[in-house]
Amino acid sequence: MSIETQSGSGRTWARTSGRAAVRGFGLALVVLPGAVLCLVLSLVSIALIPIGVGIVTTPWVLTGVRAFADWRRVLGAEWAGVRIPAAYRPLPANANPWGRTFGMLGDPATWRDLRWLPVDMTAGFLTALLPAALVLYPVEGLALAAGLWRAFPDGYWYAFVPVTGQASAFGAGALALVLLLLFRLLPVPVLRAHFRLTGALLSPGQAELAERVRVLTETRQDAVDTSAAELRRIERDLHDGAQARLVAMGMDLGTIELLLDKDPEKAKELLAQARKSSVDALAELRDLVRGIHPPVLAERGLGDAVRALALRLPLPAEVTVELPGRADAPVESAAYFAVSEVLTNAVKHADAERLWIDLHHKEGRLRISVTDDGKGGAVIGAGSGLAGVERRLGTFDGVLAVSSPAGGPTMVTMEIPCVLS
């Protein structure tokens, strides 16, 4: 190995170890007060739930705890390459404080966060501080050898070396060099161990992962069943609609050929009928294609597709779209047909006079709300259209919430986690 290579590797070691030490020290300064504050506020807020105050404060406090945990997840990925998955259950955007409080308290991830906080303020604090200690302690010994020992007239202990003069200070410096050689590779692994400890406490357990697999299996089966039913519907519509019209049109054209010379008037009548059949067949094919994947959805995105859908409704509808980009095609398709089903239910069953549709993207979620001023009473139940919407959204980890008191109004909120391009 050349002298240049040795020098380069030494600089690399110093840079990586020094960076790990600085990061760990900065993290330790935040870990202790942050974990203590989050834990105290959480316990106090939860304790105040019986008197009603905690109903209001708990969602805000637990949201702060989640933000604190998510910040550590980001640092773990960026600083140590440790991926810590988040498995929080989604909450409807329009949930009231009571629903948000008990929705968050019913989430196992919330209790993992709260169990993590005491460990974070103790073992987490020490493992964050240790990389800096591994770098600074040898530096302290070298500083003693350089003359810092004179600032301690009564003597100073460095590890097991009593420093009372220059000779013993050189001994402390020699020990510091040995420790520097021993510790030079430890700051980075120790910092990584800190985030692995965090990951072990914040990551979902095997039971929760098994439940997640079960839910995904069910939603995948629902998606397969829905696709099979959709294919059968397309086949039936083609057979009973456009195909039958095209067959009839072919028979009419054959008859026209025979009547052109014998009965021109009858031939003209059949020709007009064939032309009408072709127009009807084309309209049915267009409706069929729109039912599979509307061209406006593919060309112009979800917002314009929902606007076009609203224009075809028999009720006045106000559409608000705040989407800075486009989601993946499967997500857009699922959202479009979910909105279509909800609007169909509102037109058929709500006795509404007006509809409001809102689409926006926030915090990594596509959120859609459909509100009508009808009679209310909508529920998610077996056999209802809303149950089908819920299954469709579940394929993409989406959720459906319905607020529909008797007498109305009805608000249906849909959320799908996604990113926009």
Side-chain angles (χ1 to χ4, degrees), residues 20 37 40 45 50 53 57 94 105 121 134 162 169 221 248 286 318 323-324 335 348 351 382:
L37 180 63
V40 170
S45 184
V53 176
T57 60
N94 63 330
L105 291 178
M121 69 178 66
L134 293 175
Q221 186 60 46
R286 285 175 175 169
E318 180 179 332
L323 300 177
K348 287 183 177 180
D351 293 336

Side-chain angles (χ1 to χ4, degrees), residues 130-199:
L130 190 55
L134 293 175
V135 172
L136 294 177
Y137 196 61
V139 172
E140 178 187 347
L142 296 175
L144 289 172
L148 183 63
W149 65 272
R150 293 186 176 87
F152 305 98
D154 297 330
Y156 186 86
W157 282 86
Y158 181 76
F160 54 83
V161 177
V163 180
T164 57
Q166 189 61 54
S168 56
F170 282 142
L175 178 59
L177 290 175
V178 173
L179 294 177
L180 192 62
L181 293 175
L182 292 176
F183 293 166
R184 65 189 185 95
L185 298 178
L186 290 179
V188 174
V190 170
L191 186 62
R192 187 176 295 115
H194 167 84
F195 288 109
R196 285 177 176 168
L197 173 65
T198 300

